[in-house]
Amino acid sequence: MEGIFIGVLCLSGCLTFSTCLLHQYHFVSDAMNWTEAQSYCRETYTDLATIENTEEMKKLKDTVSAAGHNSEVWIGLYSHIDWKWSDGFNQSGAEYRNWVSNEPNYLAANQFCVNMNYGGSWFDYNCHEPRPFVCYNGTLEDSDFVPVNTAKNWSEAQRHCREHFTDLVTVRNDADRDKIHKLIKPLGWAWIGLYRDPQIYWSNGSNYSFSSWYQGYNPLGSMKVVCGVADLEKGGKWRLFPCEERKPFVCYSVPTVKTLVKVRVELQDSSVDLNDPAVKEQILKELQERLKEKGLSGVTLKWREKADGKVFHKEEKGSDKKKKTEL
Ligand SMILES: *[C@@H]1O[C@H](CO)[C@@H](O)[C@H](O)[C@H]1NC(C)=O
Ligand SMILES: *[C@@H]1O[C@H](CO)[C@@H](O)[C@H](O)[C@H]1NC(C)=O
Ligand SMILES: *[C@@H]1O[C@H](CO)[C@@H](O)[C@H](O)[C@H]1NC(C)=O
Ligand SMILES: *[C@@H]1O[C@H](CO)[C@@H](O)[C@H](O)[C@H]1NC(C)=O
Ligand SMILES: *[C@@H]1O[C@H](CO)[C@@H](O)[C@H](O)[C@H]1NC(C)=O
Ligand SMILES: *[C@@H]1O[C@H](CO)[C@@H](O)[C@H](O)[C@H]1NC(C)=O
């Protein structure tokens, strides 16, 4: 290959480092359920709002307040509620529950383990609290329930049961409950084997690390999925609600630009084929490096292929004067 070649490069990304980090929030006053709100945000902006630090939290609150709204707005937070038994029991009876009314309430978004009280009723509770507990020995079909009157947190209790017996107790029906209830009466409260994973996600799939939970109740009922709001009446703190409720919401977008740049290459070495994938890749790499040196690390570069699948074409004589780009 020899001569002058033209290729088109597609640049997309953030203009400056700071615009890459700070996304913009957009308040939408139309009340929708969470999934509708998510679709709307994905079509119109990037996604439902994610919040990763206090600065973003403040920005979101300011955006909603400026729109004159001052109660709950959907954000991108959702959680699966998946209760499990410590021994993995998943057959008939695994869904048996004996919650006291208004439980599980997921107080302060911090309760993942289950307690039975002296009345036989169940409460969700902080797993790190030390409590007596009930193990079982043998198999579930032919088991001895064993009360242990030593206060341990849930995972220590589980370990103890697994070391000395079979596991923390599984409660499959009223008969199990009544037997265990009798054992718990003198202990007051005790852990049983029911717990759930703290599965909380952002709508865009990114992990949840920063949090700003309201320190009150999040009644879960028998819901399998719950969705998050920022409650402006509670200082923007997060709470969980049934996803089918209709509420205004907040989307986010990342300010990006897209632009096309013509690249003109003069080749003297006839052994080089610019359309060789390895060569194209190498040129991109070098351009990306140069952009990085100029502080534009958030920019993505891609070659634009013509209909024939090639990027570079020989400059035709008499064609429009090509813009030479300096990068
Ligand atoms: C129950 O658990 C067993 C063992 O972990 C697993 O193989 C099976 O698929 C589970 N069944 C259901 C219905 O989840
Ligand atoms: C339970 O207690 C053990 C030992 O004191 C500790 O290492 C562990 O972190 C505790 N777990 C929870 C969930 O609090
Ligand atoms: C647990 O059960 C096994 C047999 O299944 C028995 O040998 C053992 O003594 C039992 N342990 C207690 C503490 O009851
Ligand atoms: C989700 O959004 C955050 C910005 O809030 C961003 O940092 C993160 O990379 C995004 N995750 C995905 C998987 O797009
Ligand atoms: C989120 O965290 C989990 C466990 O810490 C990890 O396995 C997973 O890859 C992470 N997901 C993302 C998108 O970062
Ligand atoms: C939201 O509404 C749509 C259509 O009205 C429905 O298909 C969807 O299941 C609803 N989502 C939730 C979480 O209730």
Side-chain angles (χ1 to χ4, degrees):
M1 250 167 137
E2 245 177 23
I4 292 172
F5 294 86
I6 302 292
V8 176
L9 195 58
C10 178
L11 282 83
S12 63
C14 317
L15 279 175
T16 64
F17 186 59
S18 57
T19 57
C20 273
L21 286 183
L22 274 186
H23 42 250
Q24 276 163 356
Y25 291 117
H26 308 272
F27 174 68
V28 181
S29 61
D30 297 350
M32 295 188 195
N33 71 28
W34 192 89
T35 37
E36 289 168 333
Q38 184 188 47
S39 309
Y40 181 94
C41 289
R42 287 180 174 176
E43 276 161 25
T44 315
Y45 302 103
T46 302
D47 208 331
L48 266 169
T50 56
I51 302 158
E52 291 188 306
N53 51 51
T54 48
E55 196 185 338
E56 288 184 353
M57 194 60 235
K58 181 177 180 308
K59 215 174 157 189
L60 183 136
K61 281 193 284 182
D62 290 348
T63 304
V64 177
S65 304
H69 187 80
N70 59 6
S71 71
E72 297 146 10
V73 289
W74 287 130
I75 54 175
L77 206 59
Y78 72 99
S79 179
H80 287 294
I81 311 296
D82 187 12
W83 296 101
K84 292 177 185 158
W85 290 103
S86 174
D87 63 357
F89 178 71
N90 65 2
Q91 331 233 302
S92 166
E95 301 294 323
Y96 178 81
R97 303 286 182 264
N98 197 41
W99 301 114
V100 73
S101 64
N102 300 327
E103 290 281 337
N105 64 22
Y106 197 32
L107 182 70
N110 200 21
Q111 301 188 317
F112 299 98
C113 296
V114 179
N115 251 289
M116 194 192 273
N117 77 349
Y118 46 82
S121 301
W122 300 6
F123 297 75
D124 62 348
Y125 214 71
N126 289 337
C127 303
H128 65 259
E129 288 283 331
R131 290 274 191 237
F133 49 98
V134 181
C135 312
Y136 75 92
N137 192 30
T139 62
L140 271 181
E141 285 65 43
D142 178 24
S143 60
D144 291 323
F145 297 135
V146 189
V148 180
N149 196 5
T150 309
K152 293 185 186 289
N153 66 30
W154 191 90
S155 35
E156 286 294 300
Q158 181 188 52
R159 206 169 65 154
H160 182 96
C161 290
R162 288 178 174 176
E163 260 173 30
H164 299 278
F165 309 102
T166 303
D167 210 325
L168 268 169
V169 75
T170 292
V171 190
R172 297 162 299 170
N173 47 45
D174 287 349
D176 282 354
R177 182 204 60 198
D178 291 343
K179 274 193 241 170
I180 296 162
H181 177 198
K182 282 205 187 84
L183 301 171
I184 288 178
K185 263 184 186 163
L187 309 179
W189 294 80
W191 291 125
I192 58 173
L194 197 63
Y195 73 102
R196 68 183 182 89
D197 286 331
Q199 300 181 90
I200 299 171
Y201 305 104
W202 287 111
S203 171
N204 77 350
S206 93
N207 270 343
Y208 144 103
S209 50
F210 168 78
S211 70
S212 180
W213 290 104
Y214 168 60
Q215 295 299 303
Y217 298 127
N218 292 284
L220 299 179
S222 55
M223 288 183 282
K224 293 279 184 200
V225 185
V226 289
C227 294
V229 300
D231 188 347
L232 276 280
E233 275 177 355
K234 306 266 192 286
K237 297 279 183 193
W238 306 347
R239 303 169 67 194
L240 293 169
F241 283 91
C243 305
E244 61 267 18
E245 284 188 19
R246 310 183 77 82
K247 298 178 189 299
F249 54 97
V250 182
C251 311
Y252 82 92
S253 65
V254 181
T256 61
V257 288
K258 251 191 191 145
T259 183
L260 297 177
V261 173
K262 263 189 187 147
V263 181
R264 196 164 173 269
V265 180
E266 196 169 342
L267 262 194
Q268 271 131 26
D269 181 351
S270 61
S271 71
V272 175
D273 178 3
L274 284 174
N275 285 313
D276 176 342
V279 174
K280 284 190 292 187
E281 189 59 30
Q282 184 58 31
I283 300 174
L284 271 195
K285 244 182 166 171
E286 280 172 22
L287 290 174
Q288 193 97 50
E289 279 304 311
R290 280 202 233 169
L291 284 175
K292 231 182 192 168
E293 281 162 20
K294 295 193 176 180
L296 291 169
S297 56
V299 177
T300 309
L301 298 178
K302 257 167 79 177
W303 291 117
R304 166 175 279 200
E305 287 178 2
K306 290 227 167 159
D308 61 6
K310 288 184 181 170
V311 168
F312 284 98
H313 292 83
K314 207 161 189 160
E315 190 175 46
E316 283 159 35
K317 285 221 167 79
S319 64
D320 299 343
K321 198 151 178 85
K322 306 289 185 215
K323 197 173 93 189
K324 185 164 180 188
T325 317
E326 291 180 13
L327 276 169

